[in-house]
Amino acid sequence: MISVGIDIGSFSIKVAEVEPTSKGYSIRSVREFPLSSDPTKDKKIEIIDTLRTLFSHYDSEQTQFVFALPQRFISGRLLNFPFRERFKIQKAAISLLEDELPFSQEDAIFDAKIVRYIGKGADVLSMAVPRERVSEVIDLAHDCGVEPFLISSETLGLYNLFEKWDQAPLEVPALAQDLPTAKPAEIIVDLGHSSTKLIIHSEGMLLGIRTVDWGGKNLAEAIAQKYGLNYLQALLEIQQKGFLLIDKSQGTREQAAFSEAIENSLQHLIADMRLKMLELQSEMNLQWTKGTILGGSAQLKNLGAFLTQKFQIPFNKYKQFEHHPPVAFETTSQMELASGTAIGLALEGLRRPRNPATNFLKDEFAPQSHAFQALWQKWGHTVRVLGLGFGILLVYCFLRESFSLSLLEKSDEVLRRQAEAIAKIKGSQASPARIQKFIRENEKLEKNRKQAERVVKINSAMDILNRISTSMPAREQLNLEIKRLSINAETVELHGYTEIQDGVSQIQKVLQSLANNGKTEAVPLLIKIPEGKVGFAFRFRVNRLTGG
Protein backbone atom coordinates (compact mmCIF):
# COMPACT_ATOMS: atom_id res chain seq x y z
CA MET A 1 0.00 0.00 0.00
CA ILE A 2 1.41 3.39 -1.04
CA SER A 3 0.74 6.51 1.04
CA VAL A 4 0.57 9.74 -0.98
CA GLY A 5 0.81 13.06 0.87
CA ILE A 6 -0.67 16.09 -0.91
CA ASP A 7 0.44 19.55 0.24
CA ILE A 8 -1.63 22.16 -1.61
CA GLY A 9 -0.04 25.57 -1.11
CA SER A 10 -0.72 28.98 -2.57
CA PHE A 11 2.45 28.84 -4.70
CA SER A 12 2.68 25.16 -5.69
CA ILE A 13 1.42 21.63 -5.06
CA LYS A 14 3.85 19.20 -3.45
CA VAL A 15 3.16 15.45 -3.71
CA ALA A 16 5.21 12.75 -1.95
CA GLU A 17 4.92 8.96 -2.24
CA VAL A 18 5.95 6.82 0.73
CA GLU A 19 5.84 3.03 0.84
CA PRO A 20 6.09 0.93 4.02
CA THR A 21 8.87 -1.66 4.11
CA SER A 22 9.95 -4.41 6.46
CA LYS A 23 12.53 -2.06 7.99
CA GLY A 24 10.38 1.06 8.07
CA TYR A 25 9.54 3.02 4.93
CA SER A 26 11.00 4.33 1.70
CA ILE A 27 10.31 7.58 -0.18
CA ARG A 28 9.47 6.62 -3.76
CA SER A 29 9.17 10.11 -5.23
CA VAL A 30 8.68 13.79 -4.44
CA ARG A 31 7.22 16.17 -7.03
CA GLU A 32 6.30 19.84 -7.11
CA PHE A 33 3.77 21.40 -9.47
CA PRO A 34 3.98 25.23 -9.54
CA LEU A 35 0.70 27.13 -9.70
CA SER A 36 0.13 30.13 -11.90
CA SER A 37 0.65 33.51 -10.26
CA ASP A 38 -1.75 35.13 -12.71
CA PRO A 39 -4.63 36.52 -10.59
CA THR A 40 -7.06 36.18 -13.53
CA LYS A 41 -6.81 32.37 -13.48
CA ASP A 42 -9.06 30.19 -11.31
CA LYS A 43 -6.57 28.52 -8.97
CA LYS A 44 -9.05 25.84 -7.81
CA ILE A 45 -9.63 24.63 -11.38
CA GLU A 46 -5.87 24.57 -11.92
CA ILE A 47 -5.38 22.47 -8.79
CA ILE A 48 -8.11 20.01 -9.82
CA ASP A 49 -6.71 19.63 -13.33
CA THR A 50 -3.19 19.02 -12.02
CA LEU A 51 -4.20 16.48 -9.39
CA ARG A 52 -6.74 14.66 -11.59
CA THR A 53 -4.03 14.07 -14.20
CA LEU A 54 -1.58 12.93 -11.53
CA PHE A 55 -4.02 10.64 -9.67
CA SER A 56 -5.05 8.86 -12.87
CA HIS A 57 -1.68 7.07 -12.79
CA TYR A 58 -2.33 5.50 -9.37
CA ASP A 59 -4.13 2.26 -8.54
CA SER A 60 -6.84 3.45 -6.13
CA GLU A 61 -7.01 -0.01 -4.51
CA GLN A 62 -3.32 0.13 -3.57
CA THR A 63 -3.01 3.83 -2.73
CA GLN A 64 -4.15 5.93 0.18
CA PHE A 65 -4.33 9.68 -0.32
CA VAL A 66 -3.63 11.98 2.63
CA PHE A 67 -4.87 15.57 2.39
CA ALA A 68 -4.37 18.39 4.88
CA LEU A 69 -6.19 21.42 6.24
CA PRO A 70 -4.29 24.73 6.41
CA GLN A 71 -3.25 25.56 9.96
CA ARG A 72 -5.11 28.89 9.89
CA PHE A 73 -8.43 27.02 9.90
CA ILE A 74 -7.56 24.88 12.97
CA SER A 75 -8.01 25.99 16.56
CA GLY A 76 -5.87 24.05 19.03
CA ARG A 77 -4.97 24.04 22.71
CA LEU A 78 -2.45 22.02 24.72
CA LEU A 79 -4.43 20.46 27.59
CA ASN A 80 -3.63 18.08 30.45
CA PHE A 81 -6.03 15.30 31.46
CA PRO A 82 -5.84 13.10 34.59
CA PHE A 83 -6.64 10.02 32.47
CA ARG A 84 -5.14 8.49 29.32
CA GLU A 85 -8.00 6.60 27.63
CA ARG A 86 -8.50 7.99 24.12
CA PHE A 87 -12.30 7.89 24.13
CA LYS A 88 -12.40 9.84 27.42
CA ILE A 89 -9.93 12.38 26.07
CA GLN A 90 -12.03 12.93 22.93
CA LYS A 91 -15.17 13.63 24.98
CA ALA A 92 -13.43 15.83 27.54
CA ALA A 93 -11.61 17.88 24.88
CA ILE A 94 -14.89 18.88 23.24
CA SER A 95 -16.28 20.32 26.47
CA LEU A 96 -13.02 22.11 27.41
CA LEU A 97 -12.69 23.81 24.01
CA GLU A 98 -16.32 24.93 23.95
CA ASP A 99 -15.73 28.42 25.37
CA GLU A 100 -12.48 29.04 23.44
CA LEU A 101 -13.57 28.32 19.87
CA PRO A 102 -13.96 31.23 17.44
CA PHE A 103 -16.79 29.30 15.78
CA SER A 104 -19.84 27.30 16.87
CA GLN A 105 -19.20 23.97 18.56
CA GLU A 106 -22.08 22.37 16.64
CA ASP A 107 -20.34 23.28 13.38
CA ALA A 108 -16.95 21.86 14.39
CA ILE A 109 -15.06 18.59 13.99
CA PHE A 110 -12.80 17.70 16.91
CA ASP A 111 -9.69 15.58 17.22
CA ALA A 112 -6.94 15.15 19.81
CA LYS A 113 -3.29 14.21 19.51
CA ILE A 114 -1.72 12.66 22.61
CA VAL A 115 1.63 14.38 23.00
CA ARG A 116 2.88 12.37 25.96
CA TYR A 117 1.69 10.28 28.91
CA ILE A 118 2.46 11.56 32.43
CA GLY A 119 1.88 8.78 34.91
CA LYS A 120 -1.82 8.00 34.67
CA GLY A 121 -2.58 11.25 32.81
CA ALA A 122 -1.76 12.69 29.41
CA ASP A 123 -0.78 15.95 27.72
CA VAL A 124 -2.99 16.38 24.67
CA LEU A 125 -3.11 18.79 21.74
CA SER A 126 -6.88 19.23 21.29
CA MET A 127 -8.02 20.61 17.94
CA ALA A 128 -11.21 21.79 16.28
CA VAL A 129 -11.97 22.82 12.70
CA PRO A 130 -15.19 24.09 11.05
CA ARG A 131 -17.12 21.38 9.24
CA GLU A 132 -17.32 23.45 6.08
CA ARG A 133 -13.51 23.39 5.77
CA VAL A 134 -13.45 19.60 5.99
CA SER A 135 -16.25 19.45 3.44
CA GLU A 136 -14.26 21.65 1.06
CA VAL A 137 -11.26 19.28 1.16
CA ILE A 138 -13.50 16.25 0.60
CA ASP A 139 -15.19 17.93 -2.36
CA LEU A 140 -11.78 18.82 -3.81
CA ALA A 141 -10.61 15.20 -3.47
CA HIS A 142 -13.80 13.93 -5.14
CA ASP A 143 -13.35 16.45 -7.98
CA CYS A 144 -9.86 15.01 -8.44
CA GLY A 145 -11.33 11.50 -8.67
CA VAL A 146 -10.09 10.02 -5.36
CA GLU A 147 -11.42 9.26 -1.89
CA PRO A 148 -9.33 10.83 0.92
CA PHE A 149 -7.87 8.29 3.35
CA LEU A 150 -7.05 10.96 5.93
CA ILE A 151 -7.55 14.69 6.33
CA SER A 152 -4.88 15.84 8.73
CA SER A 153 -3.20 19.13 9.59
CA GLU A 154 -0.37 20.68 7.55
CA THR A 155 1.66 21.40 10.67
CA LEU A 156 1.20 18.00 12.33
CA GLY A 157 2.14 16.36 9.05
CA LEU A 158 5.34 18.40 8.95
CA TYR A 159 6.07 17.53 12.60
CA ASN A 160 6.37 13.86 11.60
CA LEU A 161 9.85 14.77 10.33
CA PHE A 162 10.87 15.60 13.91
CA GLU A 163 8.73 13.16 15.92
CA LYS A 164 9.16 9.42 16.43
CA TRP A 165 5.87 8.91 14.65
CA ASP A 166 6.19 5.11 14.42
CA GLN A 167 6.43 4.73 18.21
CA ALA A 168 3.91 5.15 21.02
CA PRO A 169 3.68 8.60 22.66
CA LEU A 170 6.39 9.53 25.10
CA GLU A 171 6.02 8.10 28.65
CA VAL A 172 7.27 10.14 31.64
CA PRO A 173 6.66 9.60 35.37
CA ALA A 174 4.26 11.90 37.16
CA LEU A 175 5.97 14.77 39.00
CA ALA A 176 4.76 16.05 42.36
CA GLN A 177 5.45 19.60 41.15
CA ASP A 178 6.90 21.34 38.11
CA LEU A 179 10.65 21.72 38.12
CA PRO A 180 11.76 25.35 38.61
CA THR A 181 14.42 25.12 35.90
CA ALA A 182 13.59 26.20 32.34
CA LYS A 183 12.99 23.47 29.77
CA PRO A 184 15.20 23.49 26.67
CA ALA A 185 13.01 24.13 23.63
CA GLU A 186 13.46 24.25 19.85
CA ILE A 187 11.45 26.16 17.27
CA ILE A 188 10.71 24.93 13.76
CA VAL A 189 9.95 27.70 11.24
CA ASP A 190 8.12 26.63 8.07
CA LEU A 191 8.29 29.59 5.70
CA GLY A 192 5.52 29.28 3.12
CA HIS A 193 4.42 31.51 0.29
CA SER A 194 1.49 33.14 2.11
CA SER A 195 2.07 32.29 5.79
CA THR A 196 4.65 30.95 8.22
CA LYS A 197 4.05 28.13 10.68
CA LEU A 198 5.91 27.87 14.00
CA ILE A 199 6.22 24.52 15.76
CA ILE A 200 7.60 24.48 19.30
CA HIS A 201 8.85 21.25 20.84
CA SER A 202 10.97 20.20 23.79
CA GLU A 203 12.57 16.84 24.60
CA GLY A 204 10.42 14.98 22.10
CA MET A 205 7.18 16.70 23.16
CA LEU A 206 5.10 19.02 20.98
CA LEU A 207 4.36 22.16 23.01
CA GLY A 208 2.51 24.39 20.61
CA ILE A 209 1.76 25.54 17.07
CA ARG A 210 1.50 29.15 15.95
CA THR A 211 0.87 30.87 12.61
CA VAL A 212 2.35 34.15 11.38
CA ASP A 213 0.64 36.03 8.56
CA TRP A 214 3.84 36.47 6.56
CA GLY A 215 5.29 34.55 3.63
CA GLY A 216 7.36 34.68 0.48
CA LYS A 217 4.78 36.86 -1.27
CA ASN A 218 5.60 39.65 1.19
CA LEU A 219 9.20 39.59 0.00
CA ALA A 220 8.08 39.79 -3.63
CA GLU A 221 5.76 42.70 -2.85
CA ALA A 222 8.58 44.54 -1.07
CA ILE A 223 10.94 44.10 -4.04
CA ALA A 224 8.17 45.05 -6.50
CA GLN A 225 7.47 48.27 -4.59
CA LYS A 226 11.13 49.27 -4.25
CA TYR A 227 12.14 48.68 -7.87
CA GLY A 228 8.85 49.38 -9.64
CA LEU A 229 8.42 45.81 -10.88
CA ASN A 230 5.22 43.83 -11.26
CA TYR A 231 4.58 41.02 -8.82
CA LEU A 232 5.66 38.21 -11.18
CA GLN A 233 8.96 39.93 -12.02
CA ALA A 234 9.70 40.56 -8.34
CA LEU A 235 8.92 36.93 -7.49
CA LEU A 236 11.32 35.77 -10.17
CA GLU A 237 14.03 38.09 -8.81
CA ILE A 238 13.60 36.64 -5.31
CA GLN A 239 13.78 33.06 -6.61
CA GLN A 240 16.88 33.62 -8.72
CA LYS A 241 19.04 35.87 -6.55
CA GLY A 242 17.34 36.54 -3.22
CA PHE A 243 19.93 37.09 -0.45
CA LEU A 244 20.67 38.91 2.79
CA LEU A 245 23.93 40.70 3.45
CA ILE A 246 25.15 39.86 6.94
CA ASP A 247 28.12 42.22 6.61
CA LYS A 248 27.05 45.33 4.67
CA SER A 249 30.66 46.29 3.97
CA GLN A 250 31.19 43.17 1.87
CA GLY A 251 28.67 44.04 -0.87
CA THR A 252 28.10 46.75 -3.44
CA ARG A 253 25.67 49.61 -2.96
CA GLU A 254 23.08 47.90 -5.16
CA GLN A 255 23.44 44.63 -3.22
CA ALA A 256 23.09 46.45 0.09
CA ALA A 257 19.92 48.19 -1.12
CA PHE A 258 18.45 44.90 -2.38
CA SER A 259 19.30 43.17 0.92
CA GLU A 260 17.86 46.06 2.93
CA ALA A 261 14.52 45.80 1.10
CA ILE A 262 14.33 42.10 1.97
CA GLU A 263 15.43 42.76 5.54
CA ASN A 264 12.76 45.42 6.01
CA SER A 265 10.11 42.97 4.82
CA LEU A 266 11.41 40.37 7.27
CA GLN A 267 10.95 42.73 10.23
CA HIS A 268 7.22 41.89 10.39
CA LEU A 269 8.08 38.18 10.64
CA ILE A 270 10.77 38.86 13.26
CA ALA A 271 8.42 40.96 15.40
CA ASP A 272 5.60 38.40 15.33
CA MET A 273 7.97 35.50 15.98
CA ARG A 274 9.60 37.31 18.92
CA LEU A 275 6.19 38.11 20.43
CA LYS A 276 4.99 34.51 20.16
CA MET A 277 8.28 33.10 21.46
CA LEU A 278 8.20 35.41 24.50
CA GLU A 279 4.59 34.42 25.18
CA LEU A 280 5.45 30.70 25.06
CA GLN A 281 8.67 31.22 27.04
CA SER A 282 6.85 32.88 29.94
CA GLU A 283 3.84 30.56 29.80
CA MET A 284 5.78 27.26 29.71
CA ASN A 285 9.11 28.27 31.30
CA LEU A 286 11.19 27.59 28.18
CA GLN A 287 14.78 28.29 27.23
CA TRP A 288 15.34 28.49 23.47
CA THR A 289 18.26 26.36 22.29
CA LYS A 290 18.06 26.34 18.51
CA GLY A 291 15.86 26.95 15.49
CA THR A 292 15.23 25.04 12.29
CA ILE A 293 14.00 26.62 9.07
CA LEU A 294 12.41 24.97 6.06
CA GLY A 295 9.73 25.66 3.47
CA GLY A 296 9.82 27.13 -0.01
CA SER A 297 10.74 30.64 1.19
CA ALA A 298 13.63 29.33 3.31
CA GLN A 299 15.82 29.23 0.18
CA LEU A 300 16.75 32.87 0.78
CA LYS A 301 20.53 32.99 1.05
CA ASN A 302 21.95 33.76 4.54
CA LEU A 303 18.48 33.60 6.11
CA GLY A 304 19.73 31.25 8.86
CA ALA A 305 22.58 33.60 9.82
CA PHE A 306 20.16 36.56 9.79
CA LEU A 307 17.72 34.86 12.17
CA THR A 308 20.63 33.77 14.37
CA GLN A 309 21.66 37.40 14.76
CA LYS A 310 18.11 38.52 15.55
CA PHE A 311 17.24 35.82 18.12
CA GLN A 312 20.68 34.96 19.50
CA ILE A 313 20.13 31.22 18.97
CA PRO A 314 21.46 29.15 16.06
CA PHE A 315 19.10 28.79 13.09
CA ASN A 316 19.90 26.26 10.35
CA LYS A 317 18.12 24.88 7.32
CA TYR A 318 16.69 21.42 7.85
CA LYS A 319 18.32 18.73 5.72
CA GLN A 320 15.52 16.22 5.90
CA PHE A 321 16.91 13.65 3.46
CA GLU A 322 19.74 12.97 5.90
CA HIS A 323 17.13 11.62 8.34
CA HIS A 324 15.15 9.47 5.88
CA PRO A 325 16.20 6.13 4.42
CA PRO A 326 18.29 6.62 1.23
CA VAL A 327 16.23 7.68 -1.79
CA ALA A 328 16.67 6.45 -5.35
CA PHE A 329 15.92 9.79 -7.05
CA GLU A 330 17.94 12.97 -7.42
CA THR A 331 17.30 15.60 -4.76
CA THR A 332 17.88 19.35 -4.67
CA SER A 333 18.10 21.85 -1.84
CA GLN A 334 14.87 23.47 -3.05
CA MET A 335 13.06 20.10 -3.00
CA GLU A 336 14.49 19.32 0.43
CA LEU A 337 13.13 22.53 1.93
CA ALA A 338 9.76 22.64 0.14
CA SER A 339 8.66 18.98 0.36
CA GLY A 340 8.69 18.55 4.16
CA THR A 341 4.92 18.86 4.64
CA ALA A 342 4.09 16.50 1.74
CA ILE A 343 6.47 13.80 3.03
CA GLY A 344 5.16 14.26 6.58
CA LEU A 345 1.56 13.86 5.40
CA ALA A 346 2.49 10.66 3.56
CA LEU A 347 4.07 9.37 6.80
CA GLU A 348 0.85 10.33 8.61
CA GLY A 349 -0.91 7.68 6.52
CA LEU A 350 1.48 4.99 7.86
CA ARG A 351 0.81 5.59 11.54
CA ARG A 352 -0.38 2.71 13.70
CA PRO A 353 -3.17 2.59 16.34
CA ARG A 354 -0.70 2.94 19.23
CA ASN A 355 0.01 6.48 17.98
CA PRO A 356 -2.80 7.20 15.49
CA ALA A 357 -2.86 9.88 12.85
CA THR A 358 -4.79 13.11 13.23
CA ASN A 359 -7.92 12.69 11.16
CA PHE A 360 -10.83 15.11 10.73
CA LEU A 361 -12.85 12.59 8.70
CA LYS A 362 -15.37 12.07 11.49
CA ASP A 363 -19.08 12.12 12.18
CA GLU A 364 -20.91 12.49 8.86
CA PHE A 365 -17.56 12.64 7.04
CA ALA A 366 -16.38 9.25 8.31
CA PRO A 367 -15.49 7.01 5.36
CA GLN A 368 -18.17 4.47 4.46
CA SER A 369 -17.03 0.95 3.86
CA HIS A 370 -17.97 -0.83 0.62
CA ALA A 371 -16.97 -4.18 2.05
CA PHE A 372 -20.58 -5.07 2.92
CA GLN A 373 -21.70 -4.79 -0.67
CA ALA A 374 -18.93 -7.12 -1.85
CA LEU A 375 -19.64 -9.47 1.02
CA TRP A 376 -23.33 -9.65 0.12
CA GLN A 377 -22.54 -10.53 -3.47
CA LYS A 378 -20.39 -13.40 -2.26
CA TRP A 379 -22.52 -14.73 0.62
CA GLY A 380 -26.02 -13.48 -0.23
CA HIS A 381 -27.41 -16.97 -1.06
CA THR A 382 -25.98 -18.42 2.14
CA VAL A 383 -27.53 -15.60 4.18
CA ARG A 384 -30.95 -16.28 2.60
CA VAL A 385 -30.73 -19.97 3.51
CA LEU A 386 -29.70 -19.09 7.05
CA GLY A 387 -32.59 -16.61 7.24
CA LEU A 388 -35.05 -19.36 6.27
CA GLY A 389 -33.59 -21.62 8.92
CA PHE A 390 -33.86 -18.84 11.47
CA GLY A 391 -37.55 -18.37 10.58
CA ILE A 392 -38.19 -22.06 11.18
CA LEU A 393 -36.37 -21.78 14.49
CA LEU A 394 -38.60 -18.86 15.51
CA VAL A 395 -41.77 -20.91 14.78
CA TYR A 396 -40.37 -23.80 16.84
CA CYS A 397 -39.53 -21.45 19.72
CA PHE A 398 -43.05 -19.97 19.63
CA LEU A 399 -44.66 -23.43 19.80
CA ARG A 400 -42.29 -24.49 22.56
CA GLU A 401 -43.12 -21.39 24.57
CA SER A 402 -46.84 -22.16 24.20
CA PHE A 403 -46.31 -25.72 25.49
CA SER A 404 -44.17 -24.41 28.35
CA LEU A 405 -46.85 -21.96 29.48
CA SER A 406 -49.43 -24.73 29.44
CA LEU A 407 -47.22 -26.95 31.59
CA LEU A 408 -46.54 -24.03 33.93
CA GLU A 409 -50.25 -23.50 34.51
CA LYS A 410 -50.73 -27.22 35.30
CA SER A 411 -47.76 -27.22 37.69
CA ASP A 412 -49.18 -24.15 39.49
CA GLU A 413 -52.46 -25.98 39.96
CA VAL A 414 -50.69 -29.05 41.41
CA LEU A 415 -48.62 -26.80 43.69
CA ARG A 416 -51.74 -25.06 44.93
CA ARG A 417 -53.40 -28.39 45.82
CA GLN A 418 -50.28 -29.62 47.67
CA ALA A 419 -50.06 -26.33 49.57
CA GLU A 420 -53.63 -26.79 50.77
CA ALA A 421 -53.01 -30.41 51.77
CA ILE A 422 -49.62 -30.01 53.50
CA ALA A 423 -49.26 -26.36 54.56
CA LYS A 424 -53.00 -25.70 55.10
CA ILE A 425 -52.77 -22.67 52.77
CA LYS A 426 -56.02 -22.36 50.90
CA GLY A 427 -57.29 -20.57 47.81
CA SER A 428 -55.59 -17.39 46.64
CA GLN A 429 -53.26 -17.43 49.64
CA ALA A 430 -51.32 -20.33 48.08
CA SER A 431 -48.87 -18.00 46.36
CA PRO A 432 -45.27 -19.03 45.58
CA ALA A 433 -43.96 -16.54 48.15
CA ARG A 434 -46.08 -17.98 51.00
CA ILE A 435 -45.17 -21.53 50.03
CA GLN A 436 -41.47 -20.66 49.99
CA LYS A 437 -41.82 -19.00 53.40
CA PHE A 438 -43.46 -22.16 54.75
CA ILE A 439 -40.60 -24.28 53.39
CA ARG A 440 -37.93 -21.97 54.88
CA GLU A 441 -39.55 -22.02 58.30
CA ASN A 442 -39.72 -25.79 58.34
CA GLU A 443 -36.12 -26.08 57.13
CA LYS A 444 -35.07 -23.74 59.94
CA LEU A 445 -36.94 -25.83 62.53
CA GLU A 446 -35.29 -28.99 61.21
CA LYS A 447 -31.86 -27.37 61.34
CA ASN A 448 -32.41 -26.20 64.94
CA ARG A 449 -33.56 -29.69 65.91
CA LYS A 450 -30.43 -31.30 64.51
CA GLN A 451 -28.25 -28.67 66.20
CA ALA A 452 -29.93 -29.31 69.53
CA GLU A 453 -29.33 -33.05 69.13
CA ARG A 454 -25.66 -32.45 68.36
CA VAL A 455 -24.91 -30.08 71.22
CA VAL A 456 -24.86 -31.79 74.58
CA LYS A 457 -22.68 -29.42 76.55
CA ILE A 458 -21.01 -26.01 76.34
CA ASN A 459 -17.69 -25.82 78.12
CA SER A 460 -17.52 -23.02 80.66
CA ALA A 461 -14.61 -20.64 81.18
CA MET A 462 -13.61 -22.67 84.24
CA ASP A 463 -13.47 -25.81 82.12
CA ILE A 464 -11.10 -24.04 79.71
CA LEU A 465 -8.98 -22.80 82.64
CA ASN A 466 -8.82 -26.29 84.06
CA ARG A 467 -7.64 -27.72 80.71
CA ILE A 468 -4.91 -25.09 80.50
CA SER A 469 -3.84 -25.64 84.11
CA THR A 470 -3.59 -29.43 83.82
CA SER A 471 -1.71 -29.20 80.51
CA MET A 472 0.91 -26.72 81.64
CA PRO A 473 4.31 -27.94 83.01
CA ALA A 474 4.76 -27.90 86.79
CA ARG A 475 5.04 -24.42 88.22
CA GLU A 476 8.34 -25.24 89.95
CA GLN A 477 9.81 -26.57 86.68
CA LEU A 478 9.50 -23.27 84.83
CA ASN A 479 8.79 -20.93 87.74
CA LEU A 480 5.69 -19.92 85.75
CA GLU A 481 3.32 -17.09 86.62
CA ILE A 482 -0.02 -16.52 84.78
CA LYS A 483 -1.05 -12.91 85.32
CA ARG A 484 -3.86 -12.42 82.83
CA LEU A 485 -6.37 -14.79 81.24
CA SER A 486 -9.31 -13.72 79.12
CA ILE A 487 -11.87 -15.99 77.43
CA ASN A 488 -14.22 -14.39 74.93
CA ALA A 489 -16.45 -16.90 73.10
CA GLU A 490 -13.93 -19.28 71.48
CA THR A 491 -10.93 -16.89 71.79
CA VAL A 492 -8.52 -17.34 74.72
CA GLU A 493 -5.77 -14.85 75.54
CA LEU A 494 -3.02 -15.70 78.06
CA HIS A 495 -0.38 -13.32 79.56
CA GLY A 496 2.40 -14.30 82.01
CA TYR A 497 6.13 -14.73 82.52
CA THR A 498 8.74 -17.34 83.42
CA GLU A 499 12.38 -17.44 84.45
CA ILE A 500 13.50 -19.82 81.69
CA GLN A 501 13.97 -18.59 78.14
CA ASP A 502 13.08 -21.96 76.62
CA GLY A 503 9.99 -22.08 78.79
CA VAL A 504 8.10 -19.76 76.42
CA SER A 505 8.42 -22.26 73.55
CA GLN A 506 7.27 -25.10 75.86
CA ILE A 507 4.23 -23.04 76.88
CA GLN A 508 3.45 -22.26 73.22
CA LYS A 509 3.56 -25.97 72.31
CA VAL A 510 1.14 -26.76 75.13
CA LEU A 511 -1.27 -24.02 73.99
CA GLN A 512 -1.04 -25.23 70.37
CA SER A 513 -2.12 -28.70 71.53
CA LEU A 514 -5.17 -27.11 73.17
CA ALA A 515 -6.07 -24.91 70.18
CA ASN A 516 -8.74 -26.32 67.88
CA ASN A 517 -6.67 -25.46 64.78
CA GLY A 518 -3.27 -26.20 66.31
CA LYS A 519 -2.12 -22.58 66.02
CA THR A 520 -1.32 -19.74 68.45
CA GLU A 521 -0.84 -16.04 67.80
CA ALA A 522 1.62 -13.84 69.68
CA VAL A 523 0.00 -10.61 70.93
CA PRO A 524 1.36 -7.49 72.70
CA LEU A 525 1.95 -7.91 76.45
CA LEU A 526 -0.54 -6.13 78.68
CA ILE A 527 1.25 -6.87 81.98
CA LYS A 528 4.39 -5.59 83.64
CA ILE A 529 7.33 -8.02 83.49
CA PRO A 530 9.62 -8.15 86.57
CA GLU A 531 13.35 -7.81 86.01
CA GLY A 532 14.97 -11.07 84.98
CA LYS A 533 11.72 -12.63 83.80
CA VAL A 534 10.69 -13.63 80.28
CA GLY A 535 7.19 -12.55 79.34
CA PHE A 536 4.78 -14.15 76.92
CA ALA A 537 1.33 -13.43 75.53
CA PHE A 538 -0.56 -15.79 73.23
CA ARG A 539 -4.00 -15.89 71.69
CA PHE A 540 -5.64 -19.10 70.42
CA ARG A 541 -9.05 -20.57 69.70
CA VAL A 542 -10.73 -23.48 71.54
CA ASN A 543 -13.88 -25.49 70.89
CA ARG A 544 -16.51 -24.61 73.50
CA LEU A 545 -18.99 -27.19 72.26
CA THR A 546 -18.84 -30.87 73.05
CA GLY A 547 -21.31 -33.12 71.32
CA GLY A 548 -22.69 -36.62 71.62
Side-chain angles (χ1 to χ4, degrees), residues 5 48 122 453 491:
I48 292 173
E453 291 177 353
T491 303

Side-chain angles (χ1 to χ4, degrees), residues 43-70:
K43 188 165 290 188
K44 183 176 180 181
I45 293 178
E46 187 179 2
I47 291 171
I48 292 173
D49 289 341
T50 302
L51 292 180
R52 180 184 289 274
T53 302
L54 175 66
F55 293 160
S56 64
H57 296 93
Y58 289 100
D59 180 2
S60 60
E61 297 295 327
Q62 299 297 322
T63 309
Q64 52 192 31
F65 298 93
V66 182
F67 289 80
L69 285 161

Side-chain angles (χ1 to χ4, degrees), residues 422-525:
I422 298 174
K424 308 303 181 185
I425 303 175
K426 299 181 179 180
S428 60
Q429 294 183 348
S431 63
R434 293 180 66 88
I435 295 172
Q436 289 176 359
K437 181 180 179 182
F438 174 80
I439 294 172
R440 286 196 300 270
E441 290 176 351
N442 280 271
E443 287 178 345
K444 185 175 180 181
L445 290 173
E446 181 65 17
K447 183 178 180 180
N448 292 340
R449 184 185 64 79
K450 291 182 178 180
Q451 183 70 15
E453 291 177 353
R454 187 176 67 85
V455 179
V456 175
K457 181 182 177 182
I458 299 178
N459 292 325
S460 65
M462 293 302 296
D463 293 332
I464 303 300
L465 178 61
N466 182 55
R467 288 175 60 189
I468 295 173
S469 177
T470 54
S471 301
M472 284 289 181
R475 183 175 180 274
E476 297 77 9
Q477 180 180 349
L478 301 177
N479 197 5
L480 174 67
E481 291 289 344
I482 304 298
K483 290 299 185 179
R484 180 185 176 94
L485 174 68
S486 63
I487 301 173
N488 183 10
E490 295 183 344
T491 303
V492 180
E493 197 170 303
L494 193 68
H495 298 253
Y497 54 81
T498 178
E499 290 184 350
I500 303 174
Q501 183 67 37
D502 295 338
V504 175
S505 60
Q506 295 181 35
I507 295 168
Q508 186 176 13
K509 289 180 180 179
V510 170
L511 297 180
Q512 286 175 347
S513 66
L514 296 175
N516 60 358
N517 57 359
K519 296 179 181 179
T520 60
E521 175 188 358
V523 297
L525 277 165

Side-chain angles (χ1 to χ4, degrees), residues 289-436:
T289 58
K290 70 173 184 177
T292 303
I293 55 176
L294 72 167
S297 299
Q299 301 173 65
L300 193 65
K301 189 176 180 180
N302 293 331
L303 177 61
F306 176 77
L307 294 177
T308 299
Q309 285 183 346
K310 293 297 181 181
F311 292 99
Q312 299 300 308
I313 58 172
F315 274 85
N316 293 290
K317 294 179 181 179
Y318 185 64
K319 298 182 179 180
Q320 62 163 315
F321 288 114
E322 294 180 0
H323 304 277
H324 295 303
V327 297
F329 52 89
E330 185 178 353
T331 63
T332 64
S333 59
Q334 188 275 338
M335 177 191 295
E336 192 166 37
L337 291 171
S339 63
T341 300
I343 294 176
L345 289 172
L347 294 176
E348 191 83 351
L350 302 184
R351 282 180 174 267
R352 297 292 177 261
R354 62 184 176 182
N355 193 0
T358 302
N359 188 10
F360 293 106
L361 285 176
K362 294 185 176 180
D363 300 338
E364 70 269 23
F365 302 125
Q368 303 297 321
S369 175
H370 299 287
F372 177 77
Q373 187 175 3
L375 192 66
W376 179 258
Q377 292 177 355
K378 183 176 181 180
W379 299 99
H381 177 71
T382 304
V383 172
R384 294 187 188 94
V385 173
L386 291 176
L388 179 61
F390 182 69
I392 295 173
L393 179 63
L394 286 178
V395 173
Y396 165 74
C397 292
F398 175 77
L399 294 175
R400 182 173 179 177
E401 182 184 14
S402 177
F403 295 148
S404 299
L405 291 174
S406 177
L407 291 174
L408 180 61
E409 292 175 357
K410 292 181 180 179
S411 62
D412 286 343
E413 181 62 28
V414 172
L415 184 62
R416 193 175 291 107
R417 288 200 299 266
Q418 293 297 323
E420 184 177 354
I422 298 174
K424 308 303 181 185
I425 303 175
K426 299 181 179 180
S428 60
Q429 294 183 348
S431 63
R434 293 180 66 88
I435 295 172
Q436 289 176 359

